[in-house]
């Protein structure tokens, strides 16, 4: 699949006359809990030639390929990416940390990572992850039987929210790192057993609801909802990002 992904990325560059600044895996494979039939979620940030940004034509700021059962690939224009970086878009901050990189060009990713601690808004991040966890918990984990993967879709974001609450920093993308927050050995053993099962089960695998895990998730949601109120809205200077945009518009095409 890596070869196919690389080929698709090269085709995107050629067809759209863009250069890819970085491309990564963004879903369960990068989080650390894929199923055997998990698809590949490839995300990238790209840049047009300089003339494209000096035109009165409004260009689309997203490139997407048709999704199939194996591959989901899409990317954002650098201008869109920097706007979302400024707004502390949590998925983008995750892409930047992905352990699976398919492309990394011109030093752009390194620059963003260096700016992340300064620009990441704890309040925005907590609200994003809290919303994800609460919605999954309410809508997917209340029946007698639930989809196995939904436990991870609730656990990962609520632990990310707790990471922000306790450490006041950008939460790590990888699930095994987030697990360091849990001291309850019984909960850890239950999660470990679920993780081992997920790694050999398909995406639609159903299991009986686990009361202890539901209680744990609910307690973490309540804790983080209370802590989120302590964080104030953060406003950073946008001009450094404007300068970064201008720098890379020319850097990428003169390299």
């Amino acid at each position: 699949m890596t070869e196919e992904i690389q080929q698709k990325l090269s085709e995107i560059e050629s067809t759209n006359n863009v250069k890819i600044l970085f491309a990564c895996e963004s879903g369960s494979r990068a989080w650390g809990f894929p199923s055997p039939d998990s698809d590949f979620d490839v995300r990238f940030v790209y840049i047009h030639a300089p003339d494209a940004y000096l035109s009165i034509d409004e260009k689309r700021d997203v490139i997407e390929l048709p999704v199939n059962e194996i591959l989901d690939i899409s990317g954002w224009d650098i201008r869109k990416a920097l706007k979302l970086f400024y707004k502390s878009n949590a998925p983008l901050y995750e892409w930047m940390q992905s352990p699976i990189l398919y492309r990394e060009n011109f030093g752009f990713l390194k620059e963003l990572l260096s700016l992340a601690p300064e620009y990441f808004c704890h309040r925005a991040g907590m609200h994003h992850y809290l919303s994800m966890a609460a919605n999954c918990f309410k809508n997917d984990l209340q029946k007698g039987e639930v989809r196995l993967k939904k436990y991870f879709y609730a656990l990962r974001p609520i632990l990310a929210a707790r990471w922000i609450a306790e450490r006041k920093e950008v939460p790590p993308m990888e699930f095994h790192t987030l697990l360091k927050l849990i001291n309850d050995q019984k909960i850890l053993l239950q999660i470990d057993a679920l993780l081992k099962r997920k790694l050999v089960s398909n995406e639609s695998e159903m299991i009986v609801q686990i009361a202890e895990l539901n209680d744990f998730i609910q307690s973490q949601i309540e804790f983080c909802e209370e802590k989120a109120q302590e964080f104030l809205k953060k406003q950073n200077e946008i001009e450094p990002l404007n300068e970064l945009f201008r720098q890379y518009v020319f850097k990428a095409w003169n390299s």
Side-chain angles (χ1 to χ4, degrees):
M1 277 305 299
T2 299
E3 287 184 13
E4 182 175 343
I5 289 167
Q6 291 292 351
Q7 181 181 346
K8 293 289 186 185
L9 292 173
S10 295
E11 289 174 1
I12 286 169
E13 288 186 315
S14 176
T15 302
N16 297 276
N17 192 32
V18 299
K19 291 191 177 183
I20 290 174
L21 298 174
F22 75 91
C24 66
E25 189 67 31
S26 70
S28 59
R29 293 179 183 277
W31 294 328
F33 45 78
S35 298
D37 60 342
S38 291
D39 63 357
F40 290 79
D41 296 298
V42 181
R43 298 294 178 264
F44 61 94
V45 174
Y46 64 90
I47 190 164
H48 285 285
D51 285 354
Y53 300 106
L54 301 174
S55 169
I56 63 172
D57 294 330
E58 195 73 30
K59 294 192 179 296
R60 194 161 183 260
D61 57 7
V62 175
I63 295 175
E64 299 167 306
L65 295 187
V67 177
N68 58 44
E69 293 181 356
I70 300 174
L71 186 58
D72 177 352
I73 180 167
S74 64
W76 293 339
D77 176 72
I78 184 176
R79 180 184 277 151
K80 178 183 181 73
L82 287 173
K83 285 180 181 178
L84 291 172
F85 179 84
Y86 181 70
K87 295 178 180 178
S88 294
N89 178 272
L92 176 59
Y93 279 74
E94 289 184 13
W95 300 359
M96 291 156 48
Q97 302 178 68
S98 178
I100 306 173
L101 277 177
Y102 299 113
R103 294 277 179 93
E104 184 181 1
N105 296 317
F106 314 113
F108 181 73
L109 178 58
K110 185 177 180 180
E111 296 243 26
L112 279 191
L113 285 169
S114 70
L115 292 170
E118 176 185 351
Y119 276 85
F120 185 72
C121 175
H122 302 126
R123 179 187 175 95
M126 282 203 71
H127 283 299
H128 169 82
Y129 286 116
L130 262 173
S131 177
M132 285 183 65
N135 286 337
C136 183
F137 181 70
K138 177 182 177 181
N139 298 322
D140 301 309
L141 294 177
Q142 299 305 312
K143 299 177 183 179
E145 277 197 331
V146 300
R147 290 178 74 179
L148 168 60
K149 75 174 188 178
K150 293 299 181 179
Y151 271 110
F152 294 96
Y153 280 59
L155 284 165
R156 188 191 69 86
I158 199 55
L159 290 176
R162 181 173 158 188
W163 189 285
I164 297 169
E166 294 187 359
R167 306 199 179 192
K168 298 178 175 59
E169 60 186 27
V170 181
M173 182 184 195
E174 295 177 89
F175 186 63
H176 72 87
T177 306
L178 291 169
L179 288 177
K180 295 176 182 178
L181 294 173
I182 302 177
N183 296 317
D184 188 322
Q185 291 302 308
K186 184 177 181 180
I187 294 295
L188 282 172
L189 286 172
Q190 288 176 327
I191 293 172
D192 184 60
L194 279 185
L195 182 56
K196 289 176 180 176
R197 183 169 175 180
K198 188 177 189 303
L199 294 175
V200 298
S201 304
N202 62 41
E203 289 282 291
S204 59
E205 179 83 0
M206 301 292 290
I207 63 170
V208 176
Q209 184 198 90
I210 303 171
E212 293 91 343
L213 268 187
N214 278 45
D215 291 343
F216 173 77
I217 293 168
Q218 183 171 3
S219 71
Q220 297 303 297
I221 290 172
E222 292 170 356
F223 169 79
C224 289
E225 284 177 340
E226 183 176 342
K227 296 295 289 185
Q229 299 176 26
E230 300 176 6
F231 291 99
L232 301 176
K233 189 174 181 180
K234 185 177 182 181
Q235 192 69 43
N236 285 299
E237 292 292 328
I238 200 168
E239 188 53 33
L241 298 183
N242 286 329
E243 292 177 5
L244 191 67
F245 167 69
R246 290 189 286 265
Q247 174 189 347
Y248 274 89
V249 165
F250 295 100
K251 182 178 182 178
W253 288 88
N254 291 325
S255 299

